[in-house]
Amino acid sequence: MGNVTQAGDVSHWGEEQRLFIGGSWIRPDGGHYEVIDPATEGVVGPAPEASRKQVHAAAAAAREAFGPWSRTPPEERAAVLGRAADIIRRNFLPYAELAQAESGATTGTARGMQVGVGAARFRRYARVEPVEQPLPPQINEAGPFGKAAVMGALAVRQPVGVVACITSYNNPWANPAGKIAPALAMGNTVVVKPAPQDPLSVYRMAQALEAAGVPPGVVNVVSGSRAEVGEAVVDCEDVDMVSFTGSTAVGRRIAEVCGRGMKRQLMELGGKGAALVFDDADVDSAVSGIGTTFSFYSGQICTAPTRVIAQKGIYGRLVEQLASYAGRLTVGDPREPGTVVGPVISAAHRDRVEAYVELGRKEGARIVTGGSRPPYDRGFYVAPTLLADCTPDMRVVREEIFGPVVVVVPFDDEEEGIALANDSDYGLIDYVWSGDVARAFRVARALRAGGVGVNTVGRNMEAPFGGFKKSGVGRDVGSYALHAYSEVQAIVWPG
């Protein structure tokens, strides 16, 4: 491959990236398309456009590699992941620069939350965990020969097979690594289809895995700007499981195809996180947590507390402090040290977010701060925006905006607050702020969400991650990801 010089090296961004299929770097049938820097609107580099035939070739390569890789001792698979983590760390800065150019992330986010977390996930799954669980013996009083028998049993986790990993644009390192690493650790092989907006970082990940000694066909990467590429991955007969992160609308279409083929699914979909703030809450803490919506990935993250439900006794103060917080945030070039809010991913997405803000105004929401485009000639910037005096029926309250926009809805008592929080198609992560810890945990248990943060927006990276309702299917992260990328086999014998 022309843009790989030696193990772990990073090529110049402008060189024409090739597809990674069956251990070889292949010229794309569809040529290349341009990856655009959201901050400058300049061209980061050309990305390969795979054909349907090449997608199926990648899946066939993964199918062929599955048998040998699944029989490889777990310790050897773990060693490959550990070496990949080391290579990523050695190339930390250039990898982060590329991720920043593709995604528009601030320097701290690109280094810490993108490449840093990506390397950490490979390191996490370089740890071998037991896949066998002995079960208590059971007396079977109606055995096949009419005699009572003591039966032993063992639950064994087996790899699923070929896993299609379809990744999101908001984090071109942590999201793919969170799929690829546990899938490989369990003995699966993968076909990775990165988001079209920032695929080049995923090819760097493939380079690191190749240099770490991953056998040919175990990891394959195919990209494209057209929907047909993703569709070819999902409907390919050689694919046994689809792991997808993205919108609920796309997830629903993928699920329909998976259903017809009885493919396993792991879906991390949309979110409209409710943040319940009670009268006795630490307002400064709540504002800091909710304020991450404005800055972290510029609000392009499904876990953000975008839907604030504030008790009336604290409502005015919370709105005022959130507006002040948003107004102090520096919007601009993510490469500048003082920048807190970078651009959104594209011009089309900027227009979508701005259209939602205008819709909120028409629906009767009050724009407390933001609402106008920052004064830059280039770049896809959206000002942090706070919409107050919202009602539960507004579309800006009900639909995922995926940008630096927060809406605020008032409530009277605990029962109403819980009802408002649960009145959503989504249920990924909700949040509760209260000085009464017992109440906070009581409310958390009543929320229909896959996760709840109590007085924090922080995450425990061993805790299960996934959503209720239209926010997804399945759980991953930590040991739960190993469960997600495996099937359970029961082995039973007479004791």
Side-chain angles (χ1 to χ4, degrees):
M1 176 187 173
N3 64 348
V4 176
T5 55
Q6 64 181 39
D9 277 0
V10 180
S11 67
H12 189 273
W13 301 345
E15 294 185 16
E16 290 192 348
Q17 178 67 55
R18 299 186 184 185
L19 307 169
F20 189 51
I21 301 174
S24 298
W25 296 93
I26 308 296
R27 290 187 181 277
D29 289 343
H32 291 79
Y33 68 94
E34 293 180 339
V35 175
I36 303 300
D37 184 330
T40 66
E41 302 185 43
V43 176
V44 178
E49 189 83 58
S51 65
R52 185 177 183 87
K53 180 180 177 181
Q54 288 178 315
V55 170
H56 285 191
R63 171 66 65 206
E64 183 177 354
F66 171 66
W69 180 249
S70 65
R71 294 189 293 271
T72 299
E75 294 78 9
E76 293 183 24
R77 298 197 298 256
V80 171
L81 299 179
R83 290 194 295 270
D86 292 339
I87 292 168
I88 293 168
R89 287 197 174 101
R90 286 203 299 270
N91 289 284
F92 180 80
L93 290 180
Y95 283 166
E97 289 172 4
L98 176 58
Q100 182 175 57
E102 289 191 286
S103 69
T106 61
T107 300
T109 296
R111 293 180 181 180
M113 299 305 299
Q114 293 187 348
V115 181
V117 171
R121 286 182 170 173
F122 277 103
R123 178 59 61 191
R124 162 63 180 83
Y125 295 106
R127 187 171 77 216
V128 178
E129 295 190 16
V131 295
E132 299 179 357
Q133 179 185 1
L135 303 177
Q138 182 185 53
I139 297 177
N140 187 339
E141 297 182 354
F145 305 108
K147 297 180 181 180
V150 177
M151 305 299 293
L154 188 67
V156 181
R157 292 205 165 270
Q158 300 277 20
V160 177
V162 176
V163 179
C165 302
I166 305 177
T167 67
S168 61
Y169 69 72
N170 59 351
N171 196 322
W173 277 91
N175 184 260
K179 298 178 186 295
I180 296 168
L184 297 186
M186 277 305 308
N188 302 283
T189 55
V190 299
V191 178
V192 187
K193 194 280 177 185
Q197 296 92 340
D198 47 13
L200 300 178
S201 290
V202 180
Y203 284 105
R204 299 300 182 272
M205 191 180 299
Q207 288 179 7
L209 284 160
E210 180 188 34
V214 71
V218 171
V219 175
N220 306 270
V221 184
V222 289
S223 59
S225 61
R226 298 173 291 109
E228 288 83 355
V229 177
E231 291 169 356
V233 174
V234 173
D235 67 20
C236 181
E237 290 185 359
D238 279 319
V239 169
D240 301 298
M241 174 181 173
V242 176
S243 174
F244 171 71
T245 301
S247 73
T248 297
V250 174
R252 183 183 291 111
R253 295 199 295 271
I254 291 173
E256 291 172 355
V257 176
C258 288
R260 291 194 295 270
M262 297 302 293
K263 300 177 191 286
R264 301 297 180 263
Q265 304 168 44
L266 178 62
M267 299 277 185
E268 184 205 330
L269 306 177
K272 189 72 175 180
L276 272 78
V277 185
F278 287 90
D279 285 346
D280 61 353
D282 180 335
V283 176
D284 291 340
S285 172
V287 168
S288 295
I290 296 163
T292 60
T293 301
F294 300 127
S295 56
F296 193 46
Y297 299 119
S298 300
Q300 299 169 114
I301 184 165
C302 51
T303 59
T306 57
R307 186 168 51 108
V308 178
I309 301 171
Q311 198 162 19
K312 289 182 177 177
I314 207 172
Y315 178 86
R317 180 182 168 199
L318 182 66
V319 168
E320 181 181 351
Q321 290 193 213
L322 278 172
S324 176
Y325 183 97
R328 293 194 301 269
L329 300 178
T330 301
V331 181
D333 187 339
R335 296 169 179 84
E336 293 296 326
T339 296
V340 179
V341 183
V344 296
I345 195 66
S346 67
H349 190 58
R350 176 190 59 195
D351 293 346
R352 178 181 182 273
V353 174
E354 289 179 340
Y356 265 110
V357 173
E358 177 60 18
L359 173 63
R361 185 188 64 77
K362 291 179 179 178
E363 289 181 314
R366 176 167 57 95
I367 300 177
V368 184
T369 189
S372 59
R373 185 176 297 184
Y376 298 115
D377 294 333
R378 303 186 70 81
F380 312 128
Y381 296 98
V382 176
T385 299
L386 181 66
L387 302 177
D389 303 341
C390 297
T391 58
D393 59 321
M394 291 180 178
R395 285 180 58 193
V396 290
V397 174
R398 306 200 65 82
E399 299 176 13
E400 185 177 38
I401 298 174
F402 218 61
V405 180
V406 171
V407 302
V408 190
V409 178
F411 75 95
D412 283 309
D413 55 27
E414 181 178 314
E415 183 178 357
E416 184 189 12
I418 293 170
L420 288 171
N422 287 335
D423 182 20
S424 174
D425 290 336
Y426 300 106
L428 187 56
I429 295 186
D430 287 345
Y431 305 87
V432 181
W433 271 274
S434 174
D436 183 340
V437 175
R439 174 168 68 175
F441 275 84
R442 180 176 68 247
V443 170
R445 292 290 295 270
L447 297 177
R448 298 289 295 164
V452 181
V454 173
N455 293 326
T456 184
V457 293
R459 295 227 347 244
N460 180 319
M461 297 311 293
E462 288 296 314
F465 180 74
F468 288 14
K469 298 182 277 188
K470 293 182 182 179
S471 283
V473 177
R475 297 292 183 272
D476 67 353
V477 177
S479 296
Y480 293 89
L482 299 175
H483 300 171
Y485 293 99
S486 62
E487 297 276 25
V488 179
Q489 178 187 60
I491 300 177
V492 180
W493 64 93

